[in-house]
Amino acid sequence: MITGKNYIGFDLSNAGSTTFKTFNPKLNKETEWLFYEASEEEIDKATALAWKAFHEFKTTSYKKRVQFLKKIADEIEQLGDELIKTYCEETGLPEGRAKGERGRTCFQLRTFAAYIEQGTWVNATIDTAIPNREPAPKPDLRKMSIPIGPIAVFGASNFPLAYSTAGGDTASALASGCPVIVKSHPMHAGTGELVASAIVKAARETNMPNGVFSNLNSSGIEVGQQLVAHSLIKGVGFTGSITGGRALFDLASRRKEPIPVFAEMGSINPVVLLPMALKTKGIEWAKAYASSITLGTGQFCTNPGLLLGIKSPDLSSFLEVLSKEISEIEPSCMLHPNIATKYDGKSTKMVAENSVALAAERKGNVADNYARQMVVKVDGKSFIANPRLHEEVFGPFSMVVECEDQKELSTIISDMDGQLTGTIISEENEIDDYNEVVAAMQNRVGRLIFNGVPTGVEVCPSMQHGGPYPASTDSRFGAVGIHAIQRWIRPLSYQNWPNQLLPDALKDENPLGILRLVNGHHSTESI
Amino acid sequence: MITGKNYIGFDLSNAGSTTFKTFNPKLNKETEWLFYEASEEEIDKATALAWKAFHEFKTTSYKKRVQFLKKIADEIEQLGDELIKTYCEETGLPEGRAKGERGRTCFQLRTFAAYIEQGTWVNATIDTAIPNREPAPKPDLRKMSIPIGPIAVFGASNFPLAYSTAGGDTASALASGCPVIVKSHPMHAGTGELVASAIVKAARETNMPNGVFSNLNSSGIEVGQQLVAHSLIKGVGFTGSITGGRALFDLASRRKEPIPVFAEMGSINPVVLLPMALKTKGIEWAKAYASSITLGTGQFCTNPGLLLGIKSPDLSSFLEVLSKEISEIEPSCMLHPNIATKYDGKSTKMVAENSVALAAERKGNVADNYARQMVVKVDGKSFIANPRLHEEVFGPFSMVVECEDQKELSTIISDMDGQLTGTIISEENEIDDYNEVVAAMQNRVGRLIFNGVPTGVEVCPSMQHGGPYPASTDSRFGAVGIHAIQRWIRPLSYQNWPNQLLPDALKDENPLGILRLVNGHHSTESI
């Protein structure tokens, strides 16, 4: 049952006076629930609880933490139809998507559970003593990673489950031993509360300390700001816009004690269409891209917003097919009237820019909050000259750039902002003639795709979801897959520490049986 | 031969008009050389060269980079007596220290050479495709780490070799494939130029691209600021004061594209003296600490500036012996008149603080720029009440805090700023009764030492040199040992990329024979 209240640790609380509602974009009206924005006192209470919980939570055995994570997944599944129904009401997304995302969310939680049990994530590194070394004895040194402290997580509007309350940021932080305070996304506060109730239930049932998780409602930016500025918060995970992410990064950097912010932000996900590939498979690629551009009403961070080719009759044919496909796809609902309005405004402004021509637009009437998908085209020189054309249009929009030659194409890519993904569409050996393009792309993206579409972010260890700024605020980390845990941990060395007092991961006998770097060699053996 | 010029890539250059001299603190007079501060144009030229070099340098084979790093070490050794003589003149440090630090510097370079050849540093992670997976095929994904771009390195005043021009920051950045621009420390610009000449010679002889390394002279803060603000600089390594490090961090965070700054800054390196240890070995520990406090005239970032004990006759006896030892040690020269003057001012101010009592001071005449070592004492309550007492006094200074009880001791540690190290002096089982103290310490430091002194930073994989802010700006990384390379690299994923086009580290056949995480299992096998 949705109460509209905040979870301050294990307890529901509505001490504040500001309230707000979520919105059903398909019905174009507010939902039934009233949400109470967290008050300053509630935020203070949540952080104090989290700090206290941290000292107990970080020492829980991996086994107990595994139980907790698995239990969260179970409890989310136990929410059953209420969760799916609420999700659909608050987002306008179809039931299939809701169920898929729930599956992904639970899969992520269980993946982190399996990962921490395995133990390699602590990066155990051991160098044993050499007492008779000259000129000075070598001490015994052992290093492992430990959690940094309470983490503030900002849910994404476009993934109410997988990148929100119990999404990758929360799962990785809890797995590492860091308590989490979620700043719930105002567009799906009901979905968020349901998931939060599952986490709290799991925490109670697996005997986790009160404060290991809190969920704060908020309709504006104040709650998030207070949270990030709070001295007991030690890290931030964010998925959203460049403006929002940068504001939090700035705030965190200006603190007396600056804290790390991993913000996954904007991306237009450039796609390079090489000539031979267009000649032989242009129609297939046009169809695939019409589908990728409109998937989830284009509301994916990996949506292909920029298609780059070299001017040719084959590129024109590609654009023709793409335009036809795009025009015929049935429009779909956006997440919220605000998002739909922004999409309308930004896409209309793009068409009005100098040298930009409308290539395809869904015509006819569309329902309130539904998006007209759109493709525009522009020549390379005009694209280079106008930085406004490099900005993301969040929604089912893509820009086709017709370049003069490979050189112009390379220049565009080299000068591009950082991106989550970059894609090359090529005949098998054609790419060999485009080394410069590939090299430029490598330098600007977090993930390179060969002959595919950027939408679809596989959850696996080798996924990099992040990239050079502004795709993310720190390209050295990623938001998806097990290595996302590295954002929330730091190394601690023990020098000449007695074996019986060392954490299990560093003990001579290797009771966890984990892979360690011992005197320069990887080993699962005891010492 | 020292020319006083900057290295802009391979070329010596003195286009600017500002000049300065280094200082011989032992002779209390300027050295013979005139140094030319880098001009704005020279900085622009160095960064443009570094950016250009980056694109070639990052694709050099590990083998070639190994040759480069080894050659740097060889060339530094080839500098022979001139380097040692210049080092001693510019620092007032003894020849033994100069030779020891040279050995450490060359060891670090060779260690990184061996490490990159081994290949595990790229964190190769592979998940192979499952084409028939339902509901959607799983793509082939392969991830490895790549260099982020040109790095600005700020040398430390107190380690003219091991933490400066060719020190750990430079060695780790070059090892990763990032070009380096050093902002040379103005106190040892001559030593810096000699080492820079060795790096440039090594780069030429191993056919590295021009711009892979530059060395910029500067007497003030402007050169460093211009460098960090430059859009082609992609990361910063710094060792020095909190004020200096924080200023660069703030500058880097405010950039249009923020860049990571790893600044290793201040630390007072708390030491907890447990009662039984004082009772049984108090005299030995007092002698060991008198020696650690005055080592290198106390000019180490791991200098033990804070000794914490519980009030008792044994603590008083310890303090008595420590005081006697400290008073008798022969004073030694500080690095520079500015540092000596600051030490005098800060230590004198500490003694003047409320409730602080002088316990020991070297009496009699001392030569110009020589430091009078000093120990002061204060009670726990006064220490807690006065944050000025928590500040570092750079030099041979330490404060003994007499706590009422374990609770007060724990409070002091819990509320302490982040530190590089924390030490516990204990009888073997005594520490078991101080869990709270140990837990508090773990949360505030990067390295925990049992029954030892914090000075002496072993160069090995399990060393953590860094810690919670302000010990460093990002506790998730360290400045010493092979893992320091992780500061300068970021993950890049390849999705469905043709095997023959993948980097060697990710190819099916594993031509480098490196340890990789393949479908969740660590393996050196081919696929």
Side-chain angles (χ1 to χ4, degrees), chain A residues 127 133 141 143 246 253 255-256 442 445-448 450 458 461-462 464 483 490 493-495, chain B residues 127 133 141 143 246 253 255-256 442 445-448 450 458 461-462 464 483 490 493-495:
Chain A
D127 293 283
R133 189 186 63 175
L141 271 158
K143 182 171 78 174
R246 180 64 192 247
S253 305
R255 286 168 49 128
K256 182 165 177 282
Q442 279 180 329
V445 308
R447 175 164 56 111
L448 276 169
F450 187 81
E458 186 71 28
S462 52
Q464 167 61 357
H483 296 142
R490 68 175 176 93
S493 288
Y494 293 84
Q495 183 168 322
Chain B
D127 294 283
R133 188 186 64 175
L141 270 159
K143 182 170 80 174
R246 180 63 192 249
S253 305
R255 286 167 50 128
K256 180 165 178 278
Q442 279 180 329
V445 308
R447 175 164 56 111
L448 275 169
F450 187 80
E458 186 70 28
S462 53
Q464 167 61 355
H483 297 141
R490 67 175 177 93
S493 288
Y494 293 83
Q495 183 168 324

Side-chain angles (χ1 to χ4, degrees), chain B residues 416-430:
Chain B
M416 206 164 51
D417 277 345
Q419 306 289 340
L420 290 173
T421 73
T423 302
I424 313 270
I425 304 296
S426 158
E427 279 299 282
E428 192 74 20
N429 298 319
E430 189 181 11

Side-chain angles (χ1 to χ4, degrees), chain A residues 152-157 163-165 169-170 181-185 221 223-228 235-240 244 248:
Chain A
V153 169
F154 290 73
S157 66
Y163 290 82
S164 282
T165 322
D169 288 348
T170 297
I181 301 181
V182 166
K183 205 289 288 174
S184 181
H185 199 285
I221 58 170
V223 170
Q225 285 179 331
Q226 195 188 330
L227 206 51
V228 171
V236 179
F238 170 92
T239 310
L248 293 181

Side-chain angles (χ1 to χ4, degrees), chain A residues 139-162:
Chain A
D140 182 283
L141 271 158
R142 302 178 185 220
K143 182 171 78 174
M144 68 177 286
S145 295
I146 61 168
I148 57 174
I151 306 299
V153 169
F154 290 73
S157 66
N158 58 342
F159 275 88
L161 295 173

Side-chain angles (χ1 to χ4, degrees), chain A residues 240-308:
Chain A
S241 71
I242 296 182
T243 318
R246 180 64 192 247
L248 293 181
F249 174 85
D250 288 344
L251 186 56
S253 305
R254 281 196 308 264
R255 286 168 49 128
K256 182 165 177 282
E257 177 198 7
I259 53 172
V261 173
F262 187 84
E264 188 256 282
M265 306 186 292
S267 190
I268 51 174
N269 304 295
V271 178
V272 172
L273 306 153
L274 295 184
M276 282 298 295
L278 287 183
K279 189 176 284 306
T280 55
K281 298 205 191 76
I283 295 175
E284 288 96 312
W285 285 120
K287 289 182 176 173
Y289 270 87
S291 176
S292 177
I293 291 164
T294 53
L295 191 71
T297 325
Q299 300 166 125
F300 286 128
C301 39
T302 52
N303 196 55
L306 186 68
L307 310 180
L308 301 151

Side-chain angles (χ1 to χ4, degrees), chain B residues 150-467:
Chain B
I151 305 299
V153 170
F154 289 72
S157 66
N158 58 342
F159 275 89
L161 295 173
Y163 291 82
S164 280
T165 322
D169 288 348
T170 298
S172 57
L174 291 178
S176 76
C178 294
V180 167
I181 301 181
V182 167
K183 204 288 287 173
S184 180
H185 199 286
M187 290 185 190
H188 53 255
T191 307
E193 188 191 328
L194 288 175
V195 174
S197 75
I199 300 174
V200 167
K201 199 167 170 206
R204 279 181 183 276
E205 292 192 7
T206 56
N207 294 312
M208 293 296 138
N210 189 9
V212 71
F213 178 82
S214 287
N215 183 57
L216 306 180
N217 293 321
S218 132
S219 60
I221 59 169
E222 295 78 10
V223 171
Q225 285 180 330
Q226 195 189 331
L227 206 51
V228 172
H230 202 291
S231 65
L232 296 180
I233 293 294
K234 302 298 181 187
V236 178
F238 171 91
T239 311
S241 71
I242 295 182
T243 318
R246 180 63 192 249
L248 293 181
F249 173 85
D250 288 345
L251 187 57
S253 305
R254 281 196 307 263
R255 286 167 50 128
K256 180 165 178 278
E257 177 198 7
I259 54 172
V261 173
F262 187 84
E264 188 256 281
M265 306 184 293
S267 190
I268 51 174
N269 304 293
V271 178
V272 172
L273 306 152
L274 295 184
M276 283 298 295
L278 287 183
K279 190 177 283 305
T280 55
K281 299 207 191 75
I283 295 175
E284 287 95 312
W285 285 120
K287 289 182 178 175
Y289 270 87
S291 178
S292 177
I293 291 164
T294 53
L295 191 72
T297 325
Q299 299 166 124
F300 286 130
C301 38
T302 53
N303 197 56
L306 186 68
L307 310 179
L308 302 151
I310 295 167
K311 206 180 231 171
S312 75
D314 294 319
L315 182 60
S316 302
S317 308
F318 168 87
L319 183 54
E320 218 167 278
V321 180
L322 177 68
S323 298
K324 185 170 167 289
E325 293 285 326
I326 282 283
S327 311
E328 286 172 3
I329 287 170
E330 211 47 57
S332 52
C333 188
M334 297 202 89
L335 294 160
H336 193 274
N338 293 354
I339 290 181
T341 307
K342 255 195 199 154
Y343 173 71
D344 277 347
K346 278 203 168 177
S347 55
T348 309
K349 253 173 102 176
M350 278 293 189
V351 182
E353 290 284 350
N354 234 341
S355 312
V356 173
L358 184 67
E361 185 185 20
R362 173 68 192 194
K363 300 284 182 196
N365 288 330
V366 296
D368 286 332
N369 307 320
Y370 278 55
R372 290 177 194 279
Q373 53 267 19
M374 189 189 287
V375 170
V376 300
K377 69 168 186 174
V378 68
D379 65 288
K381 200 169 286 172
S382 304
F383 182 83
I384 291 171
N386 186 355
R388 286 190 302 275
L389 305 187
H390 311 178
E391 285 170 19
E392 184 179 3
V393 178
F394 188 74
F397 174 94
S398 198
M399 181 179 290
V400 176
V401 181
E402 294 179 320
C403 300
E404 269 312 310
D405 48 25
Q406 187 181 167
K407 196 167 165 287
E408 195 174 86
L409 181 57
S410 291
T411 303
I412 289 176
I413 296 171
S414 300
D415 295 349
M416 206 164 51
D417 277 345
Q419 306 289 340
L420 290 173
T421 73
T423 302
I424 313 270
I425 304 296
S426 158
E427 279 299 282
E428 192 74 20
N429 298 319
E430 189 181 11
I431 194 172
D432 295 345
D433 298 329
Y434 292 84
N435 285 334
E436 208 181 315
V437 172
V438 175
M441 195 77 111
Q442 279 180 329
N443 205 38
R444 304 313 301 139
V445 308
R447 175 164 56 111
L448 275 169
I449 299 146
F450 187 80
N451 282 350
V453 293
T455 43
V457 179
E458 186 70 28
V459 179
C460 64
S462 53
M463 170 54 67
Q464 167 61 355
H465 193 63

